[in-house]
Amino acid sequence: MAGINAEKFSRETIWAKRVGFQDLGVHDISLASKDNQTNGGGKGENGTYSYLTRLNYNYKEKYLVEVMGRSDGDSRFAQGYKFKNFGSASAGWVFTNEDFFSSLNSIVSFGKLRLSYGNSGNNVGIGEFDYLSLVKIYGAVLGTSGKQHNSSVLLNNGLISRERTWERIEQKNVGIDLRFLEGRLSASYDIFEKNNIGMLSQVTYPSVLGGVAPKTNSGHFNTKGWEAIVSWRDQIDDFKYHVAFNISDTKTMVTEVEGANNYKAGKNDVVNGYPAGAWFVYKTDGYFKDQAEVDAYYAKYGKSDDLAILPYKDPIKELRPGDTKKVDVAGTGNITANGNEKSSLVYAGDGTPHLTFGLNMGASWKGFDFSAFFQGQLKQNIMRKGWMAYPFGAIWTNQNPSFLGKTWTADHTDAPFPRLTTFNRRAQWNYENNDFMLQNNRYVRLKSLIVGYTLPQKLTNKAKIDRVRVYFSGNDLWEKGSIADGFDPEMGEASVDNNGYPYARTWSFGLNVGF
């Protein structure tokens, strides 16, 4: 198969604006005040052009091959960089169709090995004619009397890149599909790798650049992972049932992103040489036992960057017994988040969910039906953010009750958290981005549950009704998690603030009648 695909998108806009309607119930622009009336408009277009080809080969349902090739062009790239070539190839071998395997077909009813490689292009986030330097002309007011001091202004639309082109997405996959016992038991397993090469990324440059940099081909994003699925489906007389379980995991690595070599305390979106969402935290060594430990700490690290806001002997601001003792992991004598390897930060994993899983099950028997779906994950590093992430991060809001009775006091020196302090800078030192605040967001949740009963047709037919079913349906009815504060594990790091909708469980009872 071979073909051509061409798409063109065009738009034209025109608008006018007046304010100052005397009657808000009459929607006619001519009835508004002519003062400060404005209008405008514009047009734009972009297009793509692709050459496509595909070849399929199937030999006796045993050997399967598919090869695809394409050349994609986009008007939003500059001349000489509009077109890039991409392709893919996949092969499959149904080994259970081989003659030498026939004696095992009663056990392994189907088996297939799969192998694929492909690459495609990504052009997301590129604007029309971004590769051209444009000049905007508009009026500006200079001085106090606007009508007498209008002046024309020329403004460049920003920096451009003529060498920017398609981001290349390369994917590799090896997998196997198996079915046993006449299809009742099935399983599949896949190992995959994905590479985003020449990512279209917005690089942040120093402000002395004097302009906004465009998206450029900067960076390499690597993802490696696997997925396994096992399911069982069977019937015993009138009883039918099925259960399926899936689990997967991925690991990422970021490299070659311009200007992304530095990291800060907390979660970092992109740092070269680390996974996406890398966590860097302060390593701690418990809490100060007494004033002598505090004095010794200031004597050694009193000139640290992070202690500048907590000066020694300040009756309000200085550290006290029960406060967090941070470790100088770099041995520089400076407790600081700056300097990368010379800082007091240590890498503590990434914030990507790992070992995500799902369990789907269902059954039916003489009109009764049941289905349930569980989902969850076994690993995700999170640290609460916002006003209620730790005690007195802000004094003007409610406090997180999960810390009650768990903070250091003179009578409770083995508490899991440092002492309470209403001075928010010291509270920040004690809690924010410290290693003990990083939690594993492990959970399992019953996402849906449905139980129903369908009346026998011999009863419904007498009433000239095709079907009657009563049911109960519930969503998010139960969960078990490892987060210490008990908040919704699916909401992530900011769920303790008031910036999310309250978590809700739903129950419903229903009746379906069909005529």
Side-chain angles (χ1 to χ4, degrees):
M1 184 273 287
I4 296 175
N5 182 74
E7 298 180 359
K8 183 178 180 180
F9 303 91
S10 301
R11 70 180 190 282
E12 294 187 15
T13 60
I14 184 171
W15 60 271
K17 175 183 175 182
R18 285 188 186 183
V19 296
F21 284 89
Q22 296 299 317
D23 186 346
L24 297 180
V26 180
H27 302 139
D28 190 320
I29 194 171
S30 63
L31 299 179
S33 172
K34 295 181 180 180
D35 297 334
N36 300 319
Q37 62 182 353
T38 56
N39 59 73
K43 64 185 302 183
E45 62 181 20
N46 66 81
T48 59
Y49 200 90
S50 302
Y51 300 95
L52 314 170
T53 182
R54 184 176 67 186
L55 173 66
N56 287 302
Y57 177 75
N58 183 339
Y59 178 72
K60 295 184 177 180
E61 297 296 330
K62 290 193 293 187
Y63 310 112
L64 312 171
V65 177
E66 180 178 88
V67 179
M68 296 182 64
R70 60 186 300 149
S71 180
D72 293 323
D74 193 324
S75 65
R76 289 171 289 189
F77 296 114
Q79 194 69 31
Y81 297 90
K82 295 182 183 295
F83 279 87
K84 282 290 182 180
N85 299 323
F86 306 101
S88 65
S90 61
W93 175 37
V94 184
F95 55 85
T96 48
N97 287 346
E98 298 285 359
D99 293 337
F100 66 81
F101 206 87
S102 59
S103 61
L104 297 174
N105 285 151
S106 59
I107 301 175
V108 183
S109 52
F110 178 82
K112 180 181 179 181
L113 288 172
R114 295 177 280 105
L115 176 67
S116 65
Y117 169 84
N119 58 72
S120 58
N122 176 36
N123 58 355
V124 174
I126 304 300
E128 296 171 351
F129 306 107
D130 273 0
Y131 58 88
L132 298 177
S133 182
L134 308 178
V135 176
K136 299 179 182 179
I137 303 175
Y138 66 99
V141 177
L142 302 176
T144 56
S145 177
K147 292 184 178 180
Q148 298 179 12
H149 295 83
N150 269 328
S151 176
S152 295
V153 176
L154 302 180
L155 177 66
N156 187 282
N157 68 325
L159 303 177
I160 63 171
S161 172
R162 296 184 182 276
E163 298 179 354
R164 178 180 58 192
T165 187
W166 292 82
E167 174 183 341
R168 184 177 295 273
I169 302 175
E170 178 187 80
Q171 299 187 72
K172 307 171 187 175
N173 188 91
V174 177
I176 184 171
D177 300 320
L178 296 170
R179 291 199 293 269
F180 303 89
L181 306 175
E182 298 179 347
R184 286 178 291 174
L185 175 64
S186 62
S188 67
Y189 184 76
D190 285 84
I191 300 175
F192 57 86
E193 180 177 2
K194 179 181 178 182
N195 288 286
N196 293 59
I197 304 170
M199 292 190 300
L200 289 169
S201 55
Q202 194 85 46
V203 178
T204 301
Y205 295 96
S207 57
V208 295
L209 181 66
V212 178
K215 282 190 173 183
T216 54
N217 296 103
S218 175
H220 181 178
F221 191 90
N222 175 266
T223 304
K224 294 180 180 179
W226 56 268
E227 181 180 23
I229 302 173
V230 179
S231 65
W232 175 270
R233 181 180 297 271
D234 199 5
Q235 178 175 352
I236 304 173
D237 297 330
D238 294 331
F239 181 68
K240 299 178 182 179
Y241 67 100
H242 68 272
V243 59
F245 178 76
N246 66 83
I247 186 170
S248 63
D249 192 21
T250 59
K251 294 182 179 180
T252 62
M253 180 60 65
V254 180
T255 57
E256 302 175 13
V257 177
E258 189 173 353
N261 295 319
N262 299 322
Y263 51 81
K264 58 179 175 53
K267 188 166 75 169
N268 296 252
D269 293 333
V270 176
V271 180
N272 284 328
Y274 292 93
W279 278 103
F280 288 89
V281 298
Y282 290 97
K283 185 178 180 180
T284 62
D285 184 23
Y287 315 121
F288 296 111
K289 297 178 182 178
D290 49 39
Q291 187 60 41
E293 277 200 355
V294 175
D295 294 339
Y297 195 81
Y298 270 106
K300 191 172 184 179
Y301 303 114
K303 296 183 180 180
S304 296
D305 295 345
D306 287 6
L307 286 173
I309 58 174
L310 302 170
Y312 187 46
K313 294 299 184 182
D314 187 304
I316 298 176
K317 300 178 180 179
E318 75 166 346
L319 297 176
R320 301 174 185 178
D323 288 331
T324 299
K325 191 189 325 181
K326 297 183 180 181
V327 177
D328 176 22
V329 293
T332 61
N334 184 16
I335 305 298
T336 179
N338 303 318
N340 294 345
E341 290 82 4
K342 296 182 179 180
S343 72
S344 304
L345 304 177
V346 294
Y347 172 66
D350 62 82
T352 303
H354 292 287
L355 296 171
T356 58
F357 62 87
L359 176 64
N360 196 336
M361 61 180 66
S364 63
W365 178 73
K366 294 185 177 181
F368 291 95
D369 63 271
F370 156 83
S371 66
F373 173 63
F374 294 84
Q375 75 168 35
Q377 61 192 28
L378 298 180
K379 179 69 175 179
Q380 184 191 21
N381 291 312
I382 74 165
M383 186 181 297
R384 294 303 196 198
K385 296 294 182 183
W387 309 328
M388 296 174 63
Y390 52 84
F392 301 109
I395 61 175
W396 37 262
T397 185
N398 293 333
Q399 301 302 313
N400 191 329
S402 63
F403 291 91
L404 290 174
K406 300 178 182 179
T407 57
W408 187 96
T409 65
D411 299 325
H412 190 194
T413 57
D414 58 346
F417 297 106
R419 74 182 186 91
L420 296 176
T421 173
T422 56
F423 181 51
N424 66 328
R425 293 290 190 178
R426 190 162 48 219
Q428 180 180 353
W429 166 280
N430 279 342
Y431 288 92
E432 191 167 299
N433 296 321
N434 291 336
D435 52 7
F436 59 84
M437 291 296 288
L438 200 64
Q439 302 184 66
N440 178 17
N441 184 21
R442 180 178 64 249
Y443 77 93
V444 58
R445 167 167 282 163
L446 177 58
K447 292 297 293 181
S448 67
L449 173 66
I450 300 174
V451 179
Y453 177 68
T454 302
L455 294 179
Q457 281 195 332
K458 64 181 181 179
L459 297 179
T460 57
N461 288 341
K462 292 179 180 180
K464 297 183 178 180
I465 299 175
D466 290 338
R467 187 171 184 264
V468 176
R469 179 175 180 266
V470 293
Y471 67 90
F472 163 80
S473 175
N475 294 323
D476 302 310
L477 299 180
W478 171 87
E479 69 279 326
K480 178 66 175 178
S482 62
I483 295 298
D485 54 30
F487 284 85
D488 180 17
E490 290 188 79
M491 285 294 292
E493 293 147 14
S495 65
V496 296
D497 277 358
N498 63 352
N499 58 356
Y501 194 80
Y503 187 73
R505 308 185 195 278
T506 59
W507 297 266
S508 61
F509 296 87
L511 173 66
N512 291 333
V513 180
F515 296 93

